Amino acid sequence: MDVLTAAWIRCPQCSDLTYGGRYERNLRTCPGCGAHGRLDAEQRIGQLLDPGSVERLASPAVVADPLGFADTRSYAERLTEARERTGMDDAVACVTGEVMGRPLVAAVMDFRFMGGSLGVAVGEAITAAAETALRLRRPFLIVTASGGARMQEGAFALMQMAKTAQALAELDEAGILTVTLVTDPTYGGVAASYATLGDVVLAEPGARVGFAGPRVIKQTIQTELPDGFQTAEFLLARGLVDAVVPRPALRPTLADLLEAQVPVRAARRNAPHAEPDTGPDAAAGRATLVRDPGALPERDPAEIIRAARHEERPNTLEYANQLLDGFQELRGDRLTGDCPAVVGGIGRLDGRQVVLIGHQKGRDTAERVRRNFGMALPEGYRKAARLMRLAVKLDLPVVTLVDTPGAHPGIGAEERGQAWAIAESIRLMSGLPVPVVTAITGEGGSGGALALAVADRVLACAGAMYSVISPEGCAAILWQDQAAAPHAAAALRIGARDLLRHGIVDAVVPEPDGGAHEDPSAAAELLRAALTRALAEVCGLAPAERVARRRRRFRRFGLA
């Protein structure tokens, strides 16, 4: 931002004039276009962390100038000048503190100090902060702003990429949540190490992130770059960041994410495993799960199909927003893209932190088209797998909601390994050590559904259907007539009553009169009670026993 007077500031993006006081109250974002101005480390700490909670971590002792480097000036002189100008020891400030009462360790970079470059002092400080997070068993937040590794330190700077990546690997092994907040700019060796290794990667709007800078890329390949290239929004669409979060929303977003960290995880793992609750509340919960097929009415096959596909049935995001407190959607497979037909994130189900994943068909026609009518691409299953692995790291149960005609049958999906992605998801779910509960909430179509349904408890909503193929597909192949779909549906036994009778599902979740679409709020409450009860039944088991029982569940199908 250009400071014109003590009172007025001009935005470099939209050229609007903004009163300085308003600009500060707006957390240094332009009220006209939303452009986010750069913050130094002290400003960032002051904005994110609770007042009075911050304690500084000492700067580790390092070799200040390992190469005795000099260009037109000595590196030692440049370091002295940067320290005097910024008041910092180097380009990162490391602290402990709290965000809305949630404790954490934070490493906050400052671009003013030699472009936020990564040298031995920065690498050692971030590594030491990670070790503090490990010792305290607190989540670790890294706020990045950097041009890359520090040239004046040569290969010593390069080694800091390995050092910091190794430190985050140790936090992974210990089950400590890591969150990165990428700010403008984040390039080079920082982007290619700790900036992109967090369990959750957030970015500020417009933040530029990449390995090589756009000028270098353009000069090297001699071509024009796409609009918005390397911006946070560009990377979000390509599955490389979880969310682009405006500065005013950062504190509550971080607070909800930090709740996923359970401080007593190690104690819980070593404690004797409790049996499922059998008190009065548990008895009430059992009433929400129908386990007797005879208690369910026989339904016309055509009506089963209509109910399961009804456009007004609640979808996964609607369920998530009603069932979960503090739900934070996480996006992207960190490889090739973000499939909008699969959604997932972290939230609290009746006080219990869970990872929720599900198919998302959308509500209106435009959204349904954008989400491929709930038919997932390989990126969707790989995103789901990434979130399941995060659940294992944080020791959180997994809840999946299935509602899909099947996996997306397109050329691009096949080119990117649709069958491989589905198979990997099925294998991964079969061995997850954490509790897994699935609910078929609408359509359960083929392997595209099963890829999210290898669970300890598989529930079906009363209006759902589940089958190896769609009734129309079966009718077209075996009857040579799609109009025979109701006959195919009857033969395939796709309804909840038959699924329960054959043991394909463990229980059926009742729906309001007329179906879930008639009263979505009531349907969500019935699903909440059912999921809570199902989780209570499996959460008390030891991980090895849980996996063994899950595998026995699927092993028995088809045995005489």
Side-chain angles (χ1 to χ4, degrees):
M1 293 289 179
D2 295 328
V3 180
L4 302 182
T5 69
W8 293 94
I9 294 172
R10 185 188 301 278
C11 175
Q13 287 198 21
C14 68
S15 298
D16 277 3
L17 290 176
T18 302
Y19 179 63
R22 182 185 182 192
Y23 179 61
E24 293 296 331
R25 290 192 299 273
N26 211 37
L27 302 181
R28 292 182 169 249
T29 65
C30 174
C33 69
H36 284 48
R38 287 182 185 167
L39 300 177
D40 62 37
E42 292 304 312
Q43 291 166 336
R44 181 73 65 178
I45 291 169
Q47 284 190 7
L48 289 180
L49 274 62
D50 297 347
S53 72
V54 176
E55 293 186 12
R56 307 283 167 174
L57 298 179
S59 298
V62 296
V63 177
D65 183 5
L67 302 180
F69 187 93
D71 44 48
T72 58
R73 297 172 60 196
S74 72
Y75 176 41
E77 289 177 5
R78 294 186 187 277
L79 282 174
T80 299
E81 179 184 290
R83 287 168 180 155
E84 291 175 350
R85 180 167 44 83
T86 64
M88 298 184 66
D89 292 331
D90 214 289
V92 68
C94 298
V95 301
T96 63
E98 296 180 353
V99 177
M100 299 178 70
R102 285 78 163 179
L104 82 166
V105 177
V108 181
M109 300 193 72
D110 195 318
F111 194 78
R112 298 175 305 155
F113 197 108
M114 300 190 70
S117 50
L118 170 62
V120 293
V122 172
E124 183 61 29
I126 288 176
T127 300
E131 291 168 347
T132 299
L134 180 61
R135 177 173 55 83
L136 298 177
R137 300 200 64 80
R138 290 188 180 185
F140 187 38
L141 169 68
I142 306 176
V143 183
T144 64
S146 175
R150 191 167 295 174
M151 293 179 292
Q152 294 90 340
E153 296 185 10
F156 282 93
L158 189 67
M159 294 303 105
Q160 306 311 306
M161 295 170 62
K163 176 191 289 187
T164 53
Q166 180 175 284
L168 265 66
E170 292 179 2
L171 293 180
D172 288 340
E173 294 159 5
I176 303 297
L177 176 69
T178 56
V179 180
T180 304
L181 172 59
V182 175
T183 75
D184 187 62
T186 297
Y187 278 108
V190 170
S193 57
Y194 54 87
T196 51
L197 290 177
D199 297 315
V200 179
V201 178
L202 307 177
E204 286 195 326
R208 293 166 296 163
V209 191
F211 184 58
R215 185 184 307 168
V216 171
I217 295 172
K218 188 173 180 179
Q219 290 174 349
T220 302
I221 65 175
Q222 295 296 305
T223 188
E224 291 298 318
L225 302 179
D227 290 340
F229 182 67
Q230 292 187 324
T231 63
E233 294 77 8
F234 183 92
L235 298 172
L236 177 67
R238 286 152 182 80
L240 296 172
V241 301
D242 288 286
V244 177
V245 185
R247 198 167 284 166
L250 280 172
R251 272 174 52 81
T253 298
L254 285 171
D256 284 332
L257 288 171
L258 294 175
E259 285 205 2
Q261 185 74 75
V262 183
V264 294
R265 182 181 298 103
R268 287 199 299 123
R269 281 180 174 159
N270 296 328
H273 294 281
E275 292 299 315
D277 182 22
T278 56
D281 291 340
R286 278 194 293 271
T288 67
L289 292 174
V290 179
R291 303 182 193 269
D292 177 10
L296 297 170
E298 292 195 38
R299 302 177 66 195
D300 177 71
E303 173 55 30
I304 292 173
I305 297 171
R306 283 194 296 271
R309 295 174 175 167
H310 199 288
E311 291 187 355
E312 297 302 318
R313 284 187 76 84
N315 58 47
T316 294
L317 285 179
E318 290 167 348
Y319 276 131
N321 289 323
Q322 182 161 343
L323 296 177
L324 304 183
D325 295 321
F327 176 68
Q328 290 291 335
E329 184 179 355
L330 304 178
R331 297 179 177 87
D333 66 352
R334 300 278 179 87
L335 291 171
T336 60
D338 179 54
C339 172
V342 173
V343 297
I346 300 176
R348 297 183 303 282
L349 175 65
D350 285 346
R352 187 197 301 270
Q353 287 284 341
V354 301
V355 170
L356 182 140
I357 305 164
H359 299 96
Q360 179 71 9
K361 286 182 174 179
R363 178 53 61 211
D364 57 27
T365 301
E367 186 186 4
R368 283 175 173 255
V369 169
R370 181 172 66 84
R371 294 188 185 273
N372 296 321
F373 296 87
M375 295 183 291
L377 299 165
E379 300 91 283
Y381 296 114
R382 290 172 181 140
K383 171 169 65 174
R386 180 196 144 217
L387 295 182
M388 291 177 200
R389 293 187 181 99
L390 176 59
V392 172
K393 172 180 173 177
L394 300 178
D395 198 21
L396 302 180
V398 173
V399 173
T400 64
L401 304 183
V402 171
D403 184 14
T404 179
H408 192 277
I411 295 173
E414 293 299 322
E415 289 177 336
R416 296 192 299 278
Q418 184 71 287
W420 284 259
I422 292 171
E424 286 294 340
S425 184
I426 293 171
R427 177 168 64 178
L428 174 65
M429 292 192 78
S430 75
L432 291 177
V434 297
V436 186
V437 172
T438 292
I440 315 295
T441 60
E443 283 188 273
S446 189
L450 179 63
L452 296 186
V454 182
D456 304 304
R457 294 288 186 274
V458 180
L459 315 177
C461 292
M465 68 186 205
Y466 194 18
S467 178
V468 69
I469 191 172
S470 71
E472 293 82 2
C474 180
I477 294 170
L478 299 181
W479 276 263
Q480 281 100 51
D481 181 6
Q482 281 199 6
H487 299 294
L492 288 166
R493 311 292 193 212
I494 64 172
R497 186 175 191 270
D498 284 321
L499 294 170
L500 181 59
R501 182 164 64 88
H502 291 293
I504 302 298
V505 302
D506 301 295
V508 172
V509 183
E511 293 186 8
D513 291 343
H517 59 280
E518 292 291 341
D519 191 344
S521 180
E525 290 308 311
L526 288 165
L527 182 60
R528 180 203 302 276
L531 292 173
T532 300
R533 177 59 203 171
L535 282 172
E537 293 175 355
V538 296
C539 277
L541 300 172
E545 176 63 18
R546 185 182 298 123
V547 171
R549 290 190 185 191
R550 186 185 308 144
R551 289 177 171 169
R552 285 199 298 270
R553 181 189 187 280
F554 288 90
R555 176 71 174 80
R556 71 171 186 261
F557 288 121
L559 295 179

